[in-house]
Amino acid sequence: TGTDLTVRVEARAFQVHSQVLSSASPFFQKLVSSGEAFKRAVELPTPSAAAFEVLLEFFYTGEASFAESLLVPVLETAHHLRVQAREAKQSRNGEKTEKAQIHINKLLEAAFKLFDVDKSGAIDQSELRVLFDFLRLELSDDEVHEAMEFLDQDENCEVDEKEFREIITYVAPIV
């Protein structure tokens, strides 16, 4: 209720609040501030409507759950919408707002949990293999082992959440 913007992705139309999308995405902020977003439905060439729906859920609630198969499309969609994690914006009264950062951090946290199959709080080499396969990186077992040695900064034979964020930032630079 009270939506003021239509966003089309694939064959689906999403009725959304421009203010919510503007606060989470510089892409939408630019469209809304120019007035272009209100003249017609906004067409997004994102990988999938399901990926956009995941991001909408994050933008509105700060939480979302999604299938592992949507990880790459969600990251690509976040990149397309220029969702930034490291930049805090200044509001009119000078306070920092970090809504976009919170959204992308929760997305990365959820992605980490998907690949931490054994729920140990870290990704071991077999889980790292799954991650690389998911990111469409065709690596040999030796290359996965070398990647583990490189990424495992504290040399405990596991990738923790901080190290995981560095992997995603390098492969899909959205943060």
Side-chain angles (χ1 to χ4, degrees), residues 3-7 14-16 18 21 28 32 37-38 40 42:
T3 59
D4 60 350
L5 185 61
T6 301
V7 178
F14 297 89
Q15 298 299 316
V16 297
S18 61
L21 271 61
F28 280 109
V32 169
F38 302 107
R40 55 179 164 56
V42 175

Side-chain angles (χ1 to χ4, degrees), residues 54-149:
V54 168
L55 287 176
L56 280 181
E57 187 176 343
F58 268 108
F59 295 160
Y60 277 92
T61 69
E63 297 179 5
S65 58
F66 54 94
E68 289 181 24
S69 60
L70 284 176
L71 176 62
V72 172
V74 167
L75 291 172
E76 290 173 347
T77 302
H79 178 68
H80 174 76
L81 298 178
R82 298 191 324 251
V83 174
Q84 299 291 317
R86 291 191 178 145
E87 294 180 12
K89 297 177 185 175
Q90 294 288 331
S91 66
R92 286 189 182 102
N93 63 5
E95 295 176 9
K96 289 186 177 182
T97 60
E98 298 182 5
K99 287 184 181 181
Q101 179 175 353
I102 291 167
H103 293 311
I104 206 68
N105 285 341
K106 287 187 178 189
L107 174 64
L108 290 173
E109 180 183 331
F112 177 79
K113 288 178 181 178
L114 284 174
F115 290 105
D116 180 19
V117 176
D118 63 5
K119 307 302 178 211
S120 65
I123 295 174
D124 63 23
Q125 190 164 323
S126 65
E127 293 166 327
L128 187 62
R129 153 65 70 203
V130 173
L131 170 62
F132 286 143
D133 289 347
F134 222 55
L135 294 173
R136 301 179 190 137
L137 299 175
E138 297 178 18
L139 302 177
S140 69
D141 290 340
D142 288 340
E143 291 171 318
V144 172
H145 180 75
E146 288 176 24
M148 175 61 85
E149 288 179 346

